[in-house]
Amino acid sequence: MNLIIFGPPGAGKGTQSNNIINNFDLKQVSTGDLLRSEIKTQTDLGKKIESIINSGNLASDDVVNTLIRKIISDPKNFNRLIFDGYPRTISQVYSLEKSLKEFNQKVSIVFNLYVDKDIVSKRVNGRVICTRCFGIFNVYLNPPNSKNHKCEKKYLEKRTDDNSKTILNRYETYVEKTKPILDYYNKKGLLLEIDGNQKIDEIYAKIQGILQDIRD
Ligand code: AMP
């Protein structure tokens, strides 16, 4: 099955995708991670998109659609993708449909992690990411420690777009361009609403229950 994890910045899409891949034979595709890796290695694409991402605006549909089509076309990924942070515009929705159809697949479920605006800013401002194991932590809500994180502290980094100034723009961009696509998936009967304001484990318990029912 292919899943979409949907929600505003800070909803916990990456955290829950990590939980899912630890328990199910699925592969996470985060367009944010793919774009950040282009920036880190300073590819031509990375240089072009760096300022767009740091200001909290969206990269162009063509750029992300091309990255995603390549991943869908890989037979190793057949019917086992979790889309995290994609699609983000209606044009990306259509491109995703087209690519999945081309490679004989479809979306099975869209989990919408809905979260209050004040929680979003706390989660985003406190977020730190391990560049080695890709674990996601929060200095206020889920601090890295010797139990939940095995890598050295030096690998922990804050994302350059995780600050109070950019988060407002990212949230507004979500409301204006991304949230409306929920309607599309709702009409298709694929949407499952999950309360993303809860604790990480509580959210995951709901997701896990639903995925297990489908698998069994
Ligand atoms: P994320 O890691 O999902 O929070 O994404 C970080 C940033 O990468 C976003 O604020 C956008 O600038 C860019 N980005 C990620 N996914 C997409 C997408 N599907 N379409 C356009 N831009 C994206």
Side-chain angles (χ1 to χ4, degrees):
M1 65 187 146
N2 291 310
L3 313 174
I4 295 175
I5 304 269
F6 197 91
K13 300 186 292 291
T15 302
Q16 296 304 333
S17 300
N18 279 345
N19 284 340
I20 298 171
I21 57 172
N22 287 335
N23 292 287
F24 295 85
D25 182 28
L26 297 172
K27 183 185 151 109
Q28 175 194 18
V29 188
S30 154
T31 36
D33 285 348
L34 293 172
L35 297 173
R36 277 187 289 279
S37 139
E38 298 280 339
I39 294 172
K40 197 159 198 175
T41 48
Q42 286 288 292
T43 60
D44 287 347
L45 173 61
K47 287 180 197 156
K48 243 187 251 167
I49 58 177
E50 187 163 14
S51 64
I52 298 175
I53 292 193
N54 285 338
S55 61
N57 293 320
L58 294 181
S60 81
D61 288 333
D62 276 356
V63 163
V64 285
N65 289 337
T66 306
L67 291 170
I68 289 289
R69 188 185 175 280
K70 200 168 160 221
I71 290 167
I72 292 174
S73 70
D74 184 339
K76 285 200 294 291
N77 298 329
F78 182 78
N79 227 11
R80 54 185 292 264
L81 292 172
I82 305 175
F83 297 100
D84 158 7
Y86 180 90
R88 260 173 153 103
T89 62
I90 196 69
S91 140
Q92 292 178 22
V93 169
Y94 295 142
S95 174
L96 175 63
E97 292 277 288
K98 193 168 161 237
S99 297
L100 286 174
K101 200 166 170 201
E102 185 182 347
F103 295 97
N104 297 315
Q105 298 168 64
K106 62 184 173 63
V107 170
S108 301
I109 304 177
V110 180
F111 287 111
N112 178 34
L113 301 179
Y114 60 90
V115 189
D116 299 339
K117 200 177 171 185
D118 52 329
I119 293 200
V120 161
S121 70
K122 195 159 189 186
R123 288 200 185 152
V124 170
N125 279 318
R127 174 157 57 192
V128 279
I129 293 183
C130 177
T131 52
R132 189 161 172 265
C133 70
F134 303 108
I136 305 168
F137 306 93
N138 188 294
V139 292
Y140 311 116
L141 308 163
N142 176 33
N145 56 44
S146 56
K147 281 199 190 117
N148 63 10
H149 188 227
K150 303 291 170 216
C151 311
E152 287 176 62
K153 274 197 188 134
K154 67 175 182 193
Y155 294 111
L156 290 168
E157 274 180 14
K158 219 175 136 52
R159 273 170 48 174
T160 45
D161 61 341
D162 276 351
N163 57 66
S164 325
K165 205 171 138 215
T166 307
I167 183 57
L168 266 182
N169 189 24
R170 283 163 62 200
Y171 190 82
E172 274 160 21
T173 303
Y174 166 78
V175 171
E176 189 192 321
K177 302 207 166 120
T178 305
K179 202 164 174 232
I181 71 181
L182 279 177
D183 224 28
Y184 175 89
Y185 289 112
N186 196 17
K187 284 192 183 123
K188 290 207 147 211
L190 296 177
L191 193 63
L192 281 175
E193 297 283 355
I194 305 271
D195 182 357
N197 296 298
Q198 302 173 95
K199 295 204 178 90
I200 294 171
D201 293 351
E202 292 168 341
I203 300 171
Y204 183 59
K206 295 237 166 69
I207 293 178
Q208 189 179 25
I210 293 165
L211 294 180
Q212 254 156 7
D213 281 351
I214 294 174
R215 189 176 59 178
D216 297 341

